[in-house]
Amino acid sequence: MGFFPNDWDDEEQDDFKGNVEELVREFETNKEANFSPRELLEIFKFYSYNQLMSTDSAKGFMHMKTVLEQGIDQFPYIPVFAIHMAEVLMREKSYRMARRYISKAKEYSSFEPALFFVEAAIYGLEGRKEKALETMKEGMELAGEDDQALEDFLELLIHYNQFELALPVLDRCLDLDADVNYIVEKWLGQMNDKQIIRSLLPMLERMVDKDPYSEEAWYLLANASSDMEDYEKAITAYDFAVTINENFLEAWVGYLEALYEQENYNTFIKHYEEQALRFHPGAFEELKGLLAWSHYEIGKIKEARALYHEVLKKSPEDSESWYSMGLTWHYEQEYGKAIPYLEKAYGLNSVEADYGVVLAAAYFGNGNADKWEPLYEVLSEEFPTEEEVWLDWCVALHETGQSDKAITITQEGIKHNPGNTKLLYRMAALCYLTGQQAAAIYLLETALSINAEEHAQMFIFAPELKKAGSLLRLIARFTNPGLQT
């Protein structure tokens, strides 16, 4: 529950030797029992852990509050109990109540910086930025040059997404040469939210500015940039990391992945082959599938397939490589050769929508009439919000003379994806081709009003519509309004 590993406790900090479950039973059954601060903290930790494992969070919070209240009442001069109480209340978003406990604790421990930092985090969560910054500065003054405490406070502020408050603390830590890399790395590793990662970027840039010769700082900046899909920035940062330390394997792996995502296939192959000779055998084994596809992208198809065979021999459960191997045949319209690989990928990982969509398209291309439509039906049930399922199914039906059913299927796709312009354009095209011009005009106008840039989808599906004057005039109204009289 807390960020303070030492718990700001005067007790000995070695492992607790008592029986925590017995303590808990006594706490719950004997209201007259007295417990030391350390014992109360162990009881709190027990409840905290069990609250995380329980589906009844309200009951867990109640137990934690009960033991913390006792700690506050009996040991008001030990601020850890108030700090943990504030944390519990912050989770409940009871910010005002949390501040009351901190204020009360400050009456007994007015020089404890942890109280100021928790209070600053609460103000930040309330949106009171100026008050939060003022309180945080007071905490920093009290902390002085205690780098361990400042590291704890930095982590606390990051946890509560108070990145503006965290920046001055980071600066102080860097001035003291504190090791903050592990803190930022830990939080980056836990984050999937791009908005939070974006908020961490200024901190990472500050770390690089403070020590431009730190390969670790460049590496963290590169990782965050990759998470944000800013691969150009990631490549630059990884390049600095491996230039500073050419033996930084993790940075080389990230560098190669970023080059691949940026579609720098020739550069990827060059660096992969050079570094594979320098590091131990298998150091880049996880990237061999990317190496294979890079060869495919530059036209070395035989080499690509040979590499995929090596990957699949060592990792027969690698669904992505089965799928990619199938694509090398699928894109050449060698559907019969593609299908076994695509079937294997789909069998290994049927929750990946693309695997099923491409397999269904291969079945259609290969003339397996008994397979492609049943698979599209399954995919439409499992992935109703995947537009490609409906679009590809529509094409298959239309090209086999089932245009009416194609319209029905596309309507169903629109129900699951309201406002999807690709499906609206497809529906407009189908209506026009089947003689329903009024409906086609209405649907086309709806799609154009949402996103006129995607209107070319219609002509890819049905090139003959380029001669449909009524459609072209309507499109021109949205794409070239200046040409209208």
Side-chain angles (χ1 to χ4, degrees):
M1 280 291 299
F3 287 89
F4 310 103
N6 295 327
D7 274 333
W8 307 90
D9 193 1
D10 294 329
E11 300 284 315
E12 290 295 322
Q13 294 306 316
D14 54 338
D15 291 338
F16 183 69
K17 300 297 192 302
N19 187 316
V20 177
E21 292 184 357
E22 286 184 7
L23 278 177
V24 171
R25 281 194 293 271
E26 187 175 3
F27 180 81
E28 293 179 353
T29 58
N30 185 0
K31 294 183 179 180
E32 304 301 321
N34 290 317
F35 300 94
S36 70
R38 179 60 185 274
E39 287 172 333
L40 287 172
L41 284 173
E42 292 299 329
I43 296 169
F44 166 73
K45 290 174 184 177
F46 175 88
Y47 285 137
S48 177
Y49 174 79
N50 282 279
Q51 187 271 334
L52 292 174
M53 300 295 107
S54 172
T55 56
D56 189 352
S57 60
K59 185 177 180 181
F61 284 144
M62 180 188 71
H63 284 315
M64 287 188 284
K65 289 176 185 176
T66 300
V67 67
L68 291 172
E69 283 284 8
Q70 183 167 329
I72 292 168
D73 289 342
Q74 293 183 359
F75 309 104
Y77 51 86
I78 299 180
V80 65
F81 296 106
I83 289 170
H84 284 319
M85 180 66 86
E87 289 182 297
V88 172
L89 292 167
M90 289 160 78
R91 288 194 178 196
E92 294 180 326
K93 299 185 178 179
S94 299
Y95 302 130
R96 182 178 296 180
M97 185 63 71
R99 280 194 288 104
R100 287 181 183 175
Y101 278 98
I102 295 299
S103 296
K104 188 68 176 176
K106 286 167 70 176
E107 293 177 10
Y108 293 90
S109 306
S110 57
F111 298 105
E112 176 51 71
L115 293 169
F116 288 82
F117 275 92
V118 174
E119 189 175 34
I122 298 169
Y123 281 128
L125 290 168
E126 290 179 311
R128 300 171 64 180
K129 298 300 182 184
E130 289 186 10
K131 187 65 175 176
L133 188 60
E134 175 188 329
T135 306
M136 187 272 297
K137 286 181 178 178
E138 290 183 69
M140 285 182 64
E141 289 178 8
L142 291 170
E145 297 187 357
D146 185 346
D147 56 345
Q148 183 59 60
L150 289 166
E151 288 175 25
D152 287 339
F153 302 148
L154 175 65
E155 189 167 2
L156 179 143
L157 294 170
I158 293 174
H159 173 76
Y160 288 111
N161 298 338
Q162 299 303 305
F163 301 107
E164 290 182 31
L165 297 177
L167 270 175
V169 183
L170 175 70
D171 285 338
R172 176 71 66 82
C173 288
L174 293 174
D175 288 340
L176 295 172
D177 292 323
D179 180 14
V180 297
N181 289 337
Y182 77 95
I183 296 173
V184 180
E185 185 172 17
K186 182 178 82 172
W187 286 103
L188 275 177
Q190 295 175 358
M191 293 298 167
N192 294 316
D193 188 329
K194 287 189 176 181
Q195 183 59 43
I196 293 178
I197 295 172
R198 184 180 291 110
S199 299
L200 281 169
L201 282 171
M203 299 180 67
L204 295 166
E205 289 165 351
R206 196 73 62 91
M207 290 163 64
V208 166
D209 290 342
K210 179 67 177 177
D211 186 0
Y213 295 101
S214 169
E215 67 265 33
E216 192 68 30
W218 283 111
Y219 174 67
L220 293 174
L221 177 60
N223 284 347
S225 300
S226 285
D227 289 341
M228 294 300 299
E229 299 181 21
D230 185 349
Y231 297 113
E232 185 175 351
K233 185 174 182 178
I235 288 168
T236 300
Y238 281 128
D239 194 16
F240 274 109
V242 297
T243 299
I244 295 167
N245 180 2
E246 64 175 4
N247 296 316
F248 195 165
L249 177 59
E250 292 84 357
W252 276 113
V253 170
Y255 187 30
L256 290 167
E257 288 176 336
L259 287 169
Y260 177 86
E261 294 294 344
Q262 193 74 351
E263 300 182 0
N264 294 341
Y265 300 116
N266 282 302
T267 308
F268 173 92
I269 293 169
K270 173 180 177 291
H271 283 300
Y272 182 102
E273 292 176 346
E274 289 176 353
Q275 299 310 315
L277 296 174
R278 292 186 56 246
F279 287 92
H280 61 81
F284 299 101
E285 194 68 25
E286 64 184 283
L287 303 182
K288 207 163 190 178
L290 304 186
L291 178 66
W293 191 257
S294 296
H295 278 88
Y296 177 82
E297 288 285 355
I298 65 172
K300 295 185 176 182
I301 299 174
K302 288 184 179 180
E303 290 87 341
R305 289 175 182 152
L307 284 165
Y308 276 126
H309 279 301
E310 290 179 21
V311 172
L312 294 171
K313 186 175 180 180
K314 288 185 177 180
S315 305
E317 302 300 308
D318 184 349
S319 60
E320 182 65 23
S321 290
W322 285 106
Y323 173 67
S324 298
M325 180 67 155
L327 287 180
T328 68
W329 295 109
H330 184 79
Y331 288 158
E332 293 184 344
Q333 299 183 2
E334 294 276 2
Y335 302 117
K337 293 180 180 179
I339 285 170
Y341 296 103
L342 298 174
E343 285 180 332
K344 183 68 174 179
Y346 183 65
L348 288 168
N349 189 5
S350 61
V351 299
E352 185 64 53
D354 288 349
Y355 293 2
V357 170
V358 175
L359 177 57
Y363 283 148
F364 175 73
N366 202 47
N368 299 123
D370 60 328
K371 292 185 177 182
W372 60 263
E373 188 156 13
L375 181 52
Y376 278 126
E377 289 176 356
V378 170
L379 294 171
S380 68
E381 293 175 2
E382 293 183 349
F383 307 104
T385 58
E386 288 288 339
E387 62 183 29
E388 294 301 328
V389 173
W390 307 100
L391 292 168
D392 286 8
W393 193 1
C394 164
V395 169
L397 290 167
H398 178 67
E399 292 189 4
T400 54
Q402 303 178 71
S403 295
D404 288 342
K405 188 170 183 179
I407 290 175
T408 301
I409 290 302
T410 308
Q411 285 177 322
E412 188 68 21
I414 292 171
K415 285 180 184 177
H416 290 289
N417 302 270
N420 184 291
T421 52
K422 289 183 180 179
L423 289 166
L424 287 170
Y425 281 120
R426 179 64 54 82
M427 189 69 173
L430 285 167
C431 286
Y432 193 89
L433 293 171
T434 55
Q436 303 174 61
Q437 293 192 12
I441 292 294
Y442 172 77
L443 288 162
L444 177 58
E445 188 168 13
T446 301
L448 287 166
S449 66
I450 298 172
N451 186 348
E453 300 299 319
E454 289 189 346
H455 72 273
Q457 302 272 344
M458 294 178 64
F459 304 130
I460 295 171
F461 170 69
E464 61 268 36
L465 295 183
K466 291 180 179 180
K467 298 179 181 179
S470 59
L471 300 184
L472 295 177
R473 286 191 293 273
L474 179 56
I475 291 169
R477 275 177 45 200
F478 286 84
T479 57
N480 295 294
L483 299 178
Q484 305 300 307
T485 58

